[in-house]
Structures are given as structure tokens and as C-alpha cells.
């Protein structure tokens, strides 16, 4: 870091307040189409990129039902999802409900059709509905102290 407050020539913006961070997280959830999903299993941590959509309350992904991700989630439904890049990080901790296409309720969100791997088109796939419990968001080290925007399933602001 130089004396001018820059790292690699990029100036550090003032930290965003929590309301702005929440708005930015919601915007990212509505526009991101891929996320990194981390689960834990008998063989250790497992990290995989999956297509995703936000249904307004949950992050929805899909994968093949025999995939190690699904096996891990059946044993322990907790996971972490990462969105963004190192200059705009969003981490989501939560629990996942695994639902087969045939078990979707009639009022299932229409955004599910936007999933690139979709159980309606790809046999043997299941939906993964992630309900956020904790959300962290930061763009640089100046935002690390206030990075928690959701805790215990409730937005901080």
C-alpha cells in the first residue's frame, strides 16, 4: 500500500454503510448467475461452481442428485456460497433444502426456469434451495469491520 492510500494503483473508496451493502448484496443476488458452493463431507471440503438464481428469499441452484455436493448436503444441510470477486465479495452461510422437480409446490418461483442446469430439462437433477442465515459483504479491508449484513437469518439493517 502506498502513502496515497492505494493498493496496486486502485484507490480505496470510503466504506459503504450497512444499508448500501445490503442493497448491493441484493442487487448481486438478482444478477449473478453462478456461485461457488462449499460443502463438507467425509473426505473433507468440497467446492463447486453452480448456476444460481435468487427467488427473493433463497438462492436456488441445481445439480445431479448423485453428485458429491448432494451427498454432503444430505448428511449436513449447512453450506457456504461465495459470489463476486476479491474486490466485491459476498459470502452466504445457510442451510439447503434438496427438492426434486416432481416435489416442487405449484407456486414455485418462475425464476427456476433460468437455471442453466435445470431439473425440467436435465434428468437426474435436483434443486438446492439455500436459505441464508449469515451474509458477509466487503470490497476492501476498510469494510471488513462492518462486513456482516445478515445474522441469524435477519438483515442487520
Amino acid at each position: 500500500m502506498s502513502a496515497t492510500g492505494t493498493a496496486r494503483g486502485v484507490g480505496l473508496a470510503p466504506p459503504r454503510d450497512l444499508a448500501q451493502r445490503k442493497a448491493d448484496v441484493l442487487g448481486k443476488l438478482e444478477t449473478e448467475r453462478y456461485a461457488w458452493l462449499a460443502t463438507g463431507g467425509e473426505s473433507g471440503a468440497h467446492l463447486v461452481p453452480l448456476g444460481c438464481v435468487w427467488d427473493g428469499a433463497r438462492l436456488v441452484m441445481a445439480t445431479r442428485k448423485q453428485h458429491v455436493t448432494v451427498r454432503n448436503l444430505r448428511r449436513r444441510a449447512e453450506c457456504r456460497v461465495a459470489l463476486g470477486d476479491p474486490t466485491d465479495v459476498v459470502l452466504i452461510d445457510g442451510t439447503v433444502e434438496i427438492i426434486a422437480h416432481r416435489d416442487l409446490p405449484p407456486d414455485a418461483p418462475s425464476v427456476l426456469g433460468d437455471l442453466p442446469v435445470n431439473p425440467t430439462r436435465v434428468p437426474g437433477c435436483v434443486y438446492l434451495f439455500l436459505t441464508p442465515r449469515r451474509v458477509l459483504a466487503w470490497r476492501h479491508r476498510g469494510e471488513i469491520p462492518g462486513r456482516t449484513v445478515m445474522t441469524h437469518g435477519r438483515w442487520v439493517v
Side-chain angles (χ1 to χ4, degrees), residues 36-120:
W36 287 93
L37 174 64
T39 60
E42 292 176 6
S43 62
H46 181 73
L47 181 66
V48 63
L50 293 175
C52 65
V53 293
W54 178 247
D55 76 357
R58 299 166 298 179
L59 190 65
V60 186
M61 298 159 280
T63 192
R64 294 194 180 276
K65 63 184 172 187
Q66 74 272 14
H67 195 272
V68 65
T69 298
V70 175
R71 287 196 308 267
N72 288 347
L73 289 169
R74 288 193 193 284
R75 281 192 287 270
R76 185 171 185 215
E78 295 178 10
C79 67
R80 172 171 272 184
V81 164
L83 301 171
D85 59 56
T87 62
D88 193 7
V89 176
V90 174
L91 297 179
I92 303 169
D93 296 327
T95 55
V96 171
E97 182 179 8
I98 302 165
I99 301 178
H101 176 69
R102 70 180 177 280
D103 297 329
L104 280 176
D107 63 343
S110 62
V111 295
L112 298 183
D114 295 337
L115 285 167
V117 173
N118 191 306
T120 63

Side-chain angles (χ1 to χ4, degrees), residues 11-53:
L12 297 179
R16 296 169 291 166
D17 65 21
L18 288 174
Q20 184 61 55
R21 286 189 210 198
K22 175 186 174 186
D24 292 345
V25 166
L26 289 171
K28 185 175 285 292
L29 286 167
E30 291 183 14
T31 59
E32 288 287 325
R33 289 298 166 251
Y34 291 92
W36 287 93
L37 174 64
T39 60
E42 292 176 6
S43 62
H46 181 73
L47 181 66
V48 63
L50 293 175
C52 65
V53 293

